[in-house]
Every structure is written in C-alpha cells, then in structure tokens.
Amino acid sequence: MTAVAQRWFESFSAAMARGDIPAAADLFEPDGYWRDLVAFTGTLRTSEGRAAIRSALDRALAAASPTTWTPMGESPARDGYLFRFETRLGRGIGHLRMREGRAWTLLTALRELKGHEEAAGPRRARYVSDNPRTAEPYVVIVGGGQGGIALGARLKRLGVPALIIEKNGRAGDSWRKRYQSLCLHDPVWYDHLPYIPFPDHWPVFSPKDKIADWLEMYVRVMELDYWTATECLNARPVDGGWQLDVLRAGEPVTLHPTHLVLATGMSGFPFLPAVKGSGPKVLHSSQFGDGAAYRGKKALVVGSSTSAHDIAADLHANGADVALLQRSPTIVVRSESLLELAWGRLYSEAALAAGISTDIADLTLASVPFRELPKLQKPLYDEISRRDADLYAGLARAGFLHDMGEDGSGLHSIYLRRGAGYYIDVGASQMIVDGRIKLRHGSVVALDGGRAVLSGGDALPADVVVFATGYGNMSEWAAKLISPEVGERVGPVWGLGSGTKNDPGPWEGELRNMWKPTRQPNLWFHGGNLMQSRHYSLYLALQLKMRQIGGH
Amino acid sequence: MTAVAQRWFESFSAAMARGDIPAAADLFEPDGYWRDLVAFTGTLRTSEGRAAIRSALDRALAAASPTTWTPMGESPARDGYLFRFETRLGRGIGHLRMREGRAWTLLTALRELKGHEEAAGPRRARYVSDNPRTAEPYVVIVGGGQGGIALGARLKRLGVPALIIEKNGRAGDSWRKRYQSLCLHDPVWYDHLPYIPFPDHWPVFSPKDKIADWLEMYVRVMELDYWTATECLNARPVDGGWQLDVLRAGEPVTLHPTHLVLATGMSGFPFLPAVKGSGPKVLHSSQFGDGAAYRGKKALVVGSSTSAHDIAADLHANGADVALLQRSPTIVVRSESLLELAWGRLYSEAALAAGISTDIADLTLASVPFRELPKLQKPLYDEISRRDADLYAGLARAGFLHDMGEDGSGLHSIYLRRGAGYYIDVGASQMIVDGRIKLRHGSVVALDGGRAVLSGGDALPADVVVFATGYGNMSEWAAKLISPEVGERVGPVWGLGSGTKNDPGPWEGELRNMWKPTRQPNLWFHGGNLMQSRHYSLYLALQLKMRQIGGH
C-alpha cells in the first residue's frame, strides 16, 4: 500500500467521520465513480462524477453513519486497493482505484447486516433439528435455475423464508433439457455457486448434464424449499405483497409472499419470427434436442449467436447437411483467446495462485464502472483481432459478417447490453471457414414445401429449420404473470441503456431492473450467468433481508 | 524456522543424498520415530528407535533415491516443522518434531506419483466427454459407506477403474437407516470428505440424514461407479486377482477385479449374546429405529457405549421407562470438553483461523507415533476429569462405572485399540445421574416372559431388550466372503496390539491390517470414521495406483 493511498484513506475516513461531504467528494477525480452495492444507497447505484457522488453521499451518509474504513492493502489483482468498512447497519468490503492522488473508482459492497450475520463458520449451529419448513414464505422465487437456486441459498443462510418454484420435474432440467452437445462457454473458475465450490478436478468447460446434476445436488444439500413441477399461473399485487396462483404437480395452490422474484433467466420467451407457409419441420433453438435425429437431412439454422453455432456444429457432426443463415454481424472470439486474454487475469488457476479468490475476482469485476468498461475492453479485443487474424480472414472469405461490436468493445459489453450477439468459438467457426457449415444471409420469409424462401428471393432446400433467433425481454414475464400494465411500468429488464443496437437509452449506470427495486413494489428480477447468479444474489438477498427485519 | 531445524534439514538432506544411512539415522533421537505413509516403504510403517529407522532406510533408500528435502517452516499447529520432499517416484509432505537438535518424530507422507498426478487444478481437463464406464474394474470395493466412497473418489481422481458395491438401496443408507436421533459425535471440522468440503454453515454435529444425503450427492457429483442394492456373495482368490459373485438387484453378476477392498466399516457383524428363553422383543442396536415405537413400554438397553447411551436417551425422550445395563467400566467425556480440549487444537474454527487446514490437521495427527499417543493424551483426560468432576461424581453416585481407560489415556486411544468402550456425552449422562435413565450392572442371562434375568440373579420387567453389545472383528468379513482360512490368516483387523483389553499384542506400531497389504495378496481393509476415511483413503489409493501402473 503506497503512502498516497494510505493518506487517501485517512483523509476520506476523516471527512466521512465529520460528515464533511464536500471534502469526501473532493477526494474523487472530477469524473470519478462511486459504485455502491447496498451498503450506503440500499440498492445498486453507480454515481458518475463528483456532483453525483456528492448528492448520493448527501442522501446516504446520515443513515449509514458512523462509518469506519480499514485498508487491507493492494488487491492481489494489482489494479487497486481493497478495504473493509463498517456502517451503522452493516459490514462491507470495497475496492479503490486511484489516479494522481484521487479516487478514480470506488466500490462499496455490503457483506453482512449487524445482528443478522449468516450462521456460518464460528456462528454455525451446534446441532440442527429437522429442517423446519415455512408455512408461508416471505419470498417466492419463480424459476429454479442457477439464479433462483443461488438466491434461495443466500436467503436460506440469512434466515429469510423463501420458496423456489420450478416448472420442470427436476432441479437442473433447465440445463438438462437443452441440446445434447451443450457445454458451458464460461470457464469453471467463473461458474462456482455460493458456499460450495466445484471440486478442483471439474473440467474447464462443463457439459450441461454435469451442471444440471450439480444444481440438483446443491438444492438438496442446501435444504432449499424447492417445488418442482410447479408453474406460476399468475401473480397479483395485494396489500403489502402478492397473491400467487400456482399449479404444483397439477394441484392448485395459493401463496401469499411479501416479495416476488422473477428468476426466469435473463430473457423472456423464445422469439420465433412469423413465417408464412409450411413444409420443413420448424423448431426454436430451445426445443432442439440432439442432431442425431437429422442424419442425412438438410438443415437450416437461422441466427449466428452461440446456440446457432452450437446447433449447426452438432447437426454437422451428426451427418446433416447444414446451412447457417446470418442476419447481422456477430462477435466471434476463440474460446482459447478469451481464456487467456479476458478471463485469465481474474478467473484462472494463475489468478488463484496469485491470491485472487473467486470473491476478489467478483469484486474486481464489479468495481469497473459500466461507463468505463467498453474503453477498457476495446484494447483486449484489438489484441484478439490481431492474434486470431487467420480466423477472421477465413470467416471474411466465407462471407461471415464479423465485428467486435459497434464500438469494438467485444463480448462482455454486448452481453451486458443485449445478452446476445456473440459466439465463443469452440470449433464451429472453422467449420464455416472451410465450408462444412454453409453460410447464407438474410432471413426466412416463407416456407414452401421442402424449401425455405429467403429475404433475398433465394430458396434453400430444407427438411428442418431451427430458429436460433433468441428470446424476448425478461419484462415479458412480468407482463404475462402479473399484467401487461406492470410489464410496461417496469420497462425493459437487462441492458445498460447504452444507445447501441437493442439497448436503447437512457443510460442508467447499472443493469436495468436487475437485483434492485423496480417500479412495481416488491417485484424483483434476478438472473444471468452463473457468475452473476453467484455474485448478485448476495446483494439481492441482503435487500430482501433488510426489508424482512424492517431495517429499510 | 529455527537455525537448529534448518541445520537438521541440511544435514539430513546431505546424508540422504550421499546414501549415508548411519548418519541419517544418527540425526534421530535414540528412541526417535519415523512414520512413513507409502513414500519410502510403499506401505504404512512406523519405525521405532534408531536401529529400526536405520534398517527401514536400508531397505527403502536405494529405490527412493534421489531425494530432495524442502523445509516449509514451522507448522501453524506450532508443534514442529512441515516440509516437502521428492523421491524418484513421487512427491510428498512431511512433519518433523525436534528435541535437543535431533528428530524425535518424523512423518513422511506420499502425496502424488510423478507422471500420475491427479487431473485437478492446473491439470484439470478442458472438456470431458460422457463419463466412461469401465467394463471390468481394477478394484472392487465392498461397502459404500464413507470409507468406500472416499476411496472410490481418490481412485477416480487417480484414474484407477474402481467399482463400489453397496447392499443398501441408496448411498448414505448405512447412516439413514440408523436410529432416528443419531448425530455425529465428531465435530464437522473432523468430518470432511476429500475434495468437496462441507459448506461452512454445516452444523458442528451433523444429524445422520444430513450426512446420508451428503454421501448420496457426493457419489453422484464425483461420478463414482457405485452399484446400489448389490450384495457380495463370495470372493475367491484366482490367478492374479479375484473372482466375485455378486447379486445386483437380484441378478447374479461375476466380477474379476485385481484388488478387493473390504470397506464394510471398522468392525464385523452385530454381536448378540446367546440368551435363553423368550418374551421381550429383542433387538441389536443396529436394528433400532425410533424410540417413538416404545412409548410407555419398559425398555432395557444392554451396554454402555455410544449407541447404548443414544438409544436409552431416545427411548426416554419418547416416554419409555428405560434401564441401562452396564457390563464394564466405560469412558465418558462431555462433548463440550472434548471440543475444547481435544479436537479444538487441530479441528475447529480457531484452528482454521490459525492456518491449520484440514490437511495440516490430518498430517499433525498422523505424525504422532501410536506408541507415544497414550502418554500425550493422558494429561488431557486428567484435565477433563478435574474440569468435569461434578459429572463424574454424579455418575459415581448413580453407580456408573467410569474410567479414562486402563491407562487413563482416554477416548482416542481406546478408539484405536478397540473402536468401542466410550460415550461422548451429549446429555444421556445427566439422565443417568438424575435417574431418568436407570442403571443396572451385569449381563442378561435369560428372558422369562415379561422379564430379563440378569447375571446377578435379579430380574427386570422388560417389554423390549436392545443389545448395544457391539460388533465382531472386521476379519469376520474376510472369513465370510472369502473363507474361514483367509480370515484366520489375515488375523485381527483394527487395533494396535497394545496388550490392553480386547487389543492383544504383539505391538504393530500401526493399525492392524488397515490401509496396507495383508497376508492375503490383493486383499485390503479400509474403514473407520470420516476423518480416517478421508485421510487414509489417499494412502490406500496410492498403493493401488502403484500396483496398477506396475511401479510396485
């Protein structure tokens, strides 16, 4: 820890102690950032620039005081300093990046509420009696995938009665039922659930069924209240909470939780474009099982994101004659390159060996303001473009429309903006380069017997057309389960408001409506990949706990 | 690390490098110890005294050389030094205790074989295909409790094809089917399985069903080859291995493994004394389910070890009128006292906070020569006797025969010698003190209608008699499954040969026949509590791996 950083903490600590908000704000760069995860603002909020920081402190400091600040030294990720802090209500951990003596970015993240710490480690129970079941849960989580499960586990440890309802017959089915060849495209170090990490022989890229079985085991050993084969039919806001009609194994049940969390993924319903005519078998990618059923058939896969590539490769491997129909430019990055240049710094064996635990990696990632992310990511994708020039030249020769996003900021940016539009290459790109997977452009406008008619006027022979055309917005779930008005009022879920394609403004500084209060009281959204399910479940759980104990 | 210790390592390292065995042996105290776990001797062997150490080195050093020795500094347990070492074949870790410049105790433990390291951490697979099943396992493990499961997991990670067969319908049933009130009497820090530790909210003393579910999940996520509802009918030594007749879900299957591991616990069959007459319902403790079935009944529990106490307490809690029939003096220690004075130093939150990981704790425990253990343990039980004088006075007033073992060395010693003869008090002792559980002495000689006739001539009214009279020796399994001759040849399994009750000599310096070659080629025994299943499964697995690759 440098003397400059030490002085910064002393000055900041002193300013906060005497409630001197202007002095505290002056310790930031004029364009500095303060991202708070529930510790001061009670929600997820990024304040951009000194004025915003000052006004956020104005609103938060009185309730949070007194505070203490304890530097922990340089982060093992070597990009700033870690520190612990306490507020009146809780304890947290933070991350500070400095430039020329001032804070460029500050992250404050709540970790526990005083008097309501998790009963773990030195606080664990001596004995437990039989697992007590809650008659009426305080929280109902709709959707029992990784998101619902991770949140359920957090709430369990925080003593918040929560019930997860899952439409499938078994926990893990949301993975188990996907196409046979599916593997995670994120590496194992990024994918741990809270509390029980994967053992260290777990493969870097886990097959879907291994994840499915892990989720099922996790629900069991964490003793989550988890109803399988249960569908939420509708949800009505009632005084101080919700009334839910659910169908549990065919039997109607009415639930009255205070909070409703939609953890149905990070997207809405499968999107199938309207296409006239008939002939070929038509499937959405979510319905595709196994390429083996299409041996010797002519297959058209519409789309060029991950599932389009995976399904095309699976069909080809099973002896189908496959064409991919690309609609618009797509980000393609080799998995190898991503492992080495993007994930590796925070999530890898090397990172672990350098002392970067999963938790520190998550904090480091969370400490980068969304506004700065594209600028920080662009050089990395420039490097990948150089390194894998052969691949990109090959794709160009094959006619594949490739870019690194509108602003060249790559995969992580587009994931946050749209949750789609990329392929992490594990082999299908080479199949396109050498023509094993054929490439066409445009969209399907009609089906005509054994042919699919394309927007350009061409027609392709096709026995099966797989629409890997994505999903709607997660707000569709609110519209369907609650009402179209509530869906409308809540607005788009996910995305940053970056003004790029499919991510209209205004800019919000955080992912829209994710893990924080929405315009509909006591309605929450939770989801995303395994990393987000792990990390953000904590902050959502703490917000729910604060409401349960009346501290908010 | 002191200069003296540093010098010791340099001298030892130099002596080993030049093959100077007398000089190496001279670095030990005349009565010093060298315990080797597979690294040099290929087996588990404690050499007691300089002459034995010298002759063990004579036998081992040529094959193991060259060796390197790298001190790691003082153990966080503050009782010696840790070091790493390499031999020609493998890498290991060790523990050194010094007195006056010489080694008092040296532990060398093999950790991995060069070229056959576990595919974990930096060596983990990038992708895995579907779990390949082995047509014919190299090892068959009879018994799928914690012992068989932990060994199966070790072998899986070492790439040794192994099949576990379990007579019950589900993994974990060996716990699930025990009496309802059963909790582990060992604390959680002592109980982890390899590779996947319990999450840190796990209670200190786990209820049996929680352990059962954990074991079932573990088999699944570790993808062990595990046949449930499978009974081993018999095993015949055949050329270079075994022929096993098993019944799998009622269907006969013949297996031909090279190695046979009996992991059927640390004991043999339930021991029921022959008693004339009839009348009361008669059960062995292993058949006892739930005290609720005996409300208002008169119950006699024969025995005074853990299950006798647990069952008596459960019967009392369920409204039965209970008497305990004690046959001989029993060690009783309060769980609280044991946690604080015995387990706590190595297995506790405080130990973890001091840097004593589960692995270092296991090594530290393994580093204490069995010969020295009673001397080291006695002061601890003297302290417990003083601290809990009120309990022992109360037990004496109630007529309970209590001691701390023949030589006062307490619970851990008697566990290693006999695997029985003690109760870790979680409440039943107070019930005996205040008469809620009545106490009688002697044995049951006959049943006579509604009465049990005792050896002293008295008769007790009894609707049910539970014989918590323990189990036979584990060698009974070899006798039953293989042949009485093999059972005889192998001799007693477990115990040290201490010459104390039920542990006849000769002294062996290691647990008899456990985790090491027996007099029957390719027959092994594995078992014990969760700690032993965890720790010693590694050394047994490495011995099997060495044989599989022909390195031994």
Side-chain angles (χ1 to χ4, degrees), chain B residues 217-302:
Chain B
M217 145 325 260
Y218 188 91
V219 166
R220 177 95 163 281
V221 301
M222 291 298 295
E223 299 179 47
L224 305 185
D225 286 319
Y226 190 100
W227 289 1
T228 54
T230 302
E231 196 183 352
C232 181
L233 300 177
N234 61 68
R236 280 186 304 286
V238 292
D239 194 35
W242 295 91
Q243 178 171 319
L244 265 61
D245 293 321
V246 312
L247 214 51
R248 184 184 190 188
E251 294 294 315
V253 180
T254 304
L255 296 165
H256 297 91
T258 305
H259 293 274
L260 174 63
V261 179
L262 300 184
T264 47
M266 47 172 274
S267 46
F269 307 124
F271 174 71
L272 260 180
V275 174
K276 285 173 296 192
S278 67
K281 182 174 177 181
V282 169
L283 293 172
H284 185 263
S285 58
S286 57
Q287 301 166 305
F288 181 79
D290 187 340
Y294 305 100
R295 180 174 306 279
K297 305 282 187 185
K298 291 188 185 306
L300 178 64
V301 180
V302 182

Side-chain angles (χ1 to χ4, degrees), chain A residues 120-121 124-127 157 170 200-205 210 213 216-217 220 223 336 339 349 426, chain B residues 120-121 124-127 157 170 200-205 210 213 216-217 220 223 336 339 349 426:
Chain A
R124 74 175 84 217
R126 185 64 60 100
Y127 295 92
R157 297 241 311 196
R170 290 166 65 191
D200 68 355
H201 65 277
W202 214 255
V204 175
F205 299 107
K210 209 166 158 74
D213 285 354
E216 192 173 28
M217 152 312 268
R220 175 95 165 281
E223 299 179 50
E336 288 295 325
L339 262 190
E349 291 298 325
V426 292
Chain B
R124 74 175 83 217
R126 184 65 60 99
Y127 294 93
R157 298 242 310 197
R170 290 166 64 190
D200 68 355
H201 66 276
W202 214 255
V204 176
F205 299 106
K210 211 167 158 69
D213 285 354
E216 193 174 26
M217 145 325 260
R220 177 95 163 281
E223 299 179 47
E336 288 295 322
L339 262 190
E349 292 296 326
V426 291

Side-chain angles (χ1 to χ4, degrees), chain B residues 274 345 454:
Chain B
R345 196 174 70 85
L454 306 189

Side-chain angles (χ1 to χ4, degrees), chain A residues 242-262:
Chain A
W242 296 90
Q243 178 170 319
L244 266 62
D245 293 321
V246 312
L247 215 52
R248 184 185 190 188
E251 293 294 315
V253 180
T254 303
L255 297 166
H256 297 91
T258 304
H259 293 274
L260 173 63
V261 180
L262 299 184

Side-chain angles (χ1 to χ4, degrees), chain B residues 12 33 58 67 145 179 211 228 239 248 300 309 328 409 477:
Chain B
F12 187 71
Y33 296 86
D58 267 335
T67 64
Y179 49 93
I211 289 294
T228 54
D239 194 35
R248 184 184 190 188
L300 178 64
H309 278 85
S328 56
S409 66
W477 281 101

Side-chain angles (χ1 to χ4, degrees), chain A residues 410-490:
Chain A
L411 193 151
H412 193 55
S413 287
I414 208 167
Y415 172 70
L416 294 169
R417 292 164 175 174
R418 301 171 45 187
Y422 59 90
Y423 171 54
I424 299 175
D425 178 28
V426 292
S429 293
Q430 193 55 47
M431 294 181 177
I432 292 171
V433 169
D434 52 24
R436 282 175 287 163
I437 297 174
K438 301 187 190 93
L439 187 74
R440 304 301 293 262
H441 293 100
S443 53
V444 176
V445 292
L447 301 175
D448 177 14
R451 305 184 315 157
V453 183
L454 306 189
S455 44
D458 284 3
L460 281 182
D463 301 308
V464 59
V465 180
V466 183
F467 284 96
T469 39
Y471 298 82
N473 191 277
M474 203 176 166
S475 64
E476 289 178 352
W477 281 100
K480 183 194 171 201
L481 294 179
I482 308 166
S483 69
E485 295 70 33
V486 168
E488 189 90 0
R489 186 181 319 139
V490 166

